[in-house]
Amino acid sequence: MKICVHGIGYIGLATAALFANAGHDVVGYDPNERLVSELRSGNPRTTEEELRTFVLDALDNGFEPADEPVEADCHLVCVPTPYDEESQMADLAYVEAAGRTVAEYLRPGDLVILESTVPPGTTEGAFASVLETSGLTAGEDFALAHCPEMVLPGNITYEIVHNDRIIGGIDTASTDRAVALYEPLVEGAIHRAPDATTAEFVKLTQNAYRDVNIAFANELARVAHDYGIRSRDAIALANVHPRVDVLQPGPGVGGHCLPIDPWFLGQSSDSLDIIESARRINEGMVDFVAELLEGEVGPLAGTSVAVLGVAYKGNVDDSRHSPGLRFADLLRAVPAAAGTEAEATATDGGQTGHDTGVDVRLHDPYVDDHDGSLGLVGLKDALRDADAVVVTAAHDAYRDLNPKMVRELVSRPLVVDTLSCLDANAWRDAGFDYVEV
């Protein structure tokens, strides 16, 4: 089958490679000419070695990156759906633009599948309407279905094959055709949704469920702190019950999905309550981390803090909606102490790299800061003379840190471990005050 994948970012690239490696004739279309050029030269944008190999195999199997779309038996749309904070609505501009592109090349009998995560009703509503500007009617002249991606960054080459799939078409024939396309490729079960809107709703439900459960653990951490007990001990004992499975607390939730997707459920509903509370709790965990830090060092103005981890989770390179970056922004917003050089610099509008009350040093061994926009520094530069070390991503590189080496660099032996990923005893033995969320 000839397949045109629209959007070859992280998800689209893996999806295109999946179909190409299964023997389909695949064109990966993206208007980003530089991205296409890099792929054509065998340089996919990923730090995941397994995904890199998977894509290179696909290129050997005929996968063709292109900056122009083509006619195809199936059009797969894998474009971003950002969340507009101001309007509190999903931004469907990319989805609608992809729909207009598909409409230009759509033929009777084609199959169109939307994989992008979208608010309920998008496939049968806005997306179908744009496709029908072709003069063809969805469900009569072409098949249309939604099959949301359900993969975990860092493990995509395994999960894209082994995870279950939810497929919902705008009619039974559309569902049948989409199932027939995916069935030979995936080892997970394929579940038929009653319709495309249910399939959309299921994906959002899964992410909202996890966000709510993380929020519960995070709230327990704050409550346990008020009672002077260790939340993780309490959670471990609570989980002894066969019907209890509480997650672990942390500095918040990041990535493209969990901080965004739950809001999509409210696109056409005013009934969000628990979901809104969960979002507020998880977003507010960086404030709690700052409270813990301030409880140890006193006023934060004038301190230097090494923030280790700007990826949103351990051992990945994705910094979207990163708790580490939110925490750094929170520290940078601390006013400079009166009469300090930092205060004078901030007042004069100067830029010295430390023109706020807190000198924030960011480090991450996975995240690429090629344009310098994140301000990442080397590990030793981050640690040198720091008043506190705050770990905000559970990278193996941080688990393996030698606390004695760190002790020689920092000004004050204080570590705030927001994920309980360090060996607490080893750090205490090295002379550190060890604090965890």
Side-chain angles (χ1 to χ4, degrees):
M1 179 179 285
K2 178 85 170 189
I3 298 174
C4 183
V5 177
H6 296 252
I8 47 176
Y10 185 71
I11 297 298
L13 181 60
T15 300
L18 174 69
F19 283 99
N21 287 331
H24 291 284
D25 180 6
V26 180
V27 171
Y29 161 65
D30 200 291
N32 186 329
E33 295 180 2
R34 182 175 178 180
L35 172 65
V36 170
S37 177
E38 290 173 357
L39 271 175
R40 284 174 174 168
S41 63
N43 186 29
R45 291 183 182 178
T46 178
T47 59
E48 297 178 33
E49 194 54 42
E50 289 185 0
L51 177 57
R52 180 180 178 83
T53 300
F54 194 56
V55 172
L56 293 178
D57 288 344
L59 291 168
D60 289 340
N61 288 324
F63 167 44
E64 181 186 350
D67 53 20
E68 293 290 340
V70 296
E71 290 185 342
D73 304 304
C74 174
H75 293 272
L76 271 167
V77 175
C78 306
V79 296
T81 47
Y83 178 68
D84 188 324
E85 298 280 355
E86 186 172 337
S87 66
Q88 294 190 320
M89 303 279 281
D91 181 355
L92 295 178
Y94 292 107
V95 169
E96 292 174 353
R100 287 191 292 271
T101 299
V102 172
E104 294 180 17
Y105 293 84
L106 198 59
R107 304 168 304 184
D110 285 348
L111 167 64
V112 181
I113 298 176
L114 178 62
E115 281 206 1
S116 304
T117 304
V118 291
T122 300
T123 302
E124 297 184 20
F127 190 57
S129 296
V130 172
L131 293 173
E132 289 178 344
T133 61
S134 63
L136 303 176
T137 301
E140 295 181 11
D141 301 312
F142 65 93
L144 175 60
H146 181 63
C147 179
E149 55 83 10
M150 297 175 179
V151 295
L152 183 69
N155 197 33
I156 190 169
T157 54
Y158 177 86
E159 295 203 348
I160 202 169
V161 173
H162 292 85
N163 283 3
D164 289 2
R165 293 270 181 165
I166 308 293
I167 296 177
I170 65 166
D171 57 12
T172 301
S174 294
T175 303
D176 289 344
R177 288 191 59 187
V179 168
L181 177 67
Y182 286 97
E183 205 163 34
L185 280 70
V186 301
E187 296 187 22
I190 294 181
H191 305 274
R192 293 169 179 260
D195 47 54
T197 300
T198 301
E200 294 162 339
F201 194 91
V202 168
K203 167 63 186 291
L204 302 176
T205 299
Q206 291 173 331
N207 284 343
Y209 172 84
R210 185 157 180 82
D211 192 47
V212 167
N213 279 270
I214 292 171
F216 179 63
N218 283 336
E219 183 160 291
L220 286 179
R222 301 187 75 144
V223 174
H225 181 75
D226 291 337
Y227 284 97
I229 64 174
R230 185 173 183 265
S231 64
R232 295 169 195 275
D233 289 339
I235 288 171
L237 290 169
N239 285 344
V240 169
H241 194 288
R243 291 185 295 279
V244 175
D245 186 17
V246 182
L247 301 179
Q248 296 298 311
V253 173
H256 177 64
C257 296
L258 295 195
I260 299 298
D261 294 356
W263 291 119
F264 288 7
L265 287 169
Q267 188 93 350
S268 299
S269 172
D270 295 325
S271 298
L272 298 191
D273 190 355
I274 292 175
I275 289 170
E276 284 189 354
S277 296
R279 287 279 70 244
R280 184 179 65 254
I281 291 167
N282 287 335
E283 290 293 305
M285 283 305 289
V286 293
D287 297 281
F288 180 58
V289 175
E291 290 170 14
L292 293 178
L293 179 59
E294 193 167 26
E296 296 293 323
V297 303
L300 297 178
T303 62
S304 296
V305 180
V307 178
L308 304 187
V310 302
Y312 83 90
K313 62 176 288 186
N315 302 329
V316 303
D317 62 358
D318 190 345
S319 63
R320 289 177 294 180
H321 301 281
S322 152
L325 288 177
R326 288 203 306 275
F327 178 64
D329 288 341
L330 179 66
L331 294 182
R332 292 189 181 108
V334 172
T340 64
E341 180 182 347
E343 184 201 30
T345 303
T347 303
D348 294 341
Q351 295 292 328
T352 66
H354 182 198
D355 55 6
T356 68
V358 181
D359 178 13
V360 182
R361 295 90 167 272
L362 291 171
H363 173 266
D364 196 297
Y366 286 85
V367 175
D368 185 356
D369 189 25
H370 60 277
D371 61 359
S373 60
L374 297 177
L376 299 185
V377 299
L379 179 62
K380 289 186 176 180
D381 289 333
L383 296 172
R384 189 171 288 111
D385 297 326
D387 296 299
V389 178
V390 181
V391 180
T392 51
H395 295 321
D396 288 343
Y398 297 150
R399 297 179 193 273
D400 296 337
L401 276 176
N402 184 334
K404 292 181 180 179
M405 179 276 291
V406 177
R407 178 67 184 89
E408 293 175 356
L409 290 169
V410 297
S411 173
R412 174 175 178 161
L414 168 64
V415 60
V416 179
D417 184 359
T418 68
L419 295 146
S420 195
C421 63
L422 306 179
D423 183 336
N425 290 331
W427 285 78
R428 289 190 178 110
D429 289 345
F432 278 83
D433 292 324
Y434 176 87
V435 180
E436 65 180 355
V437 168

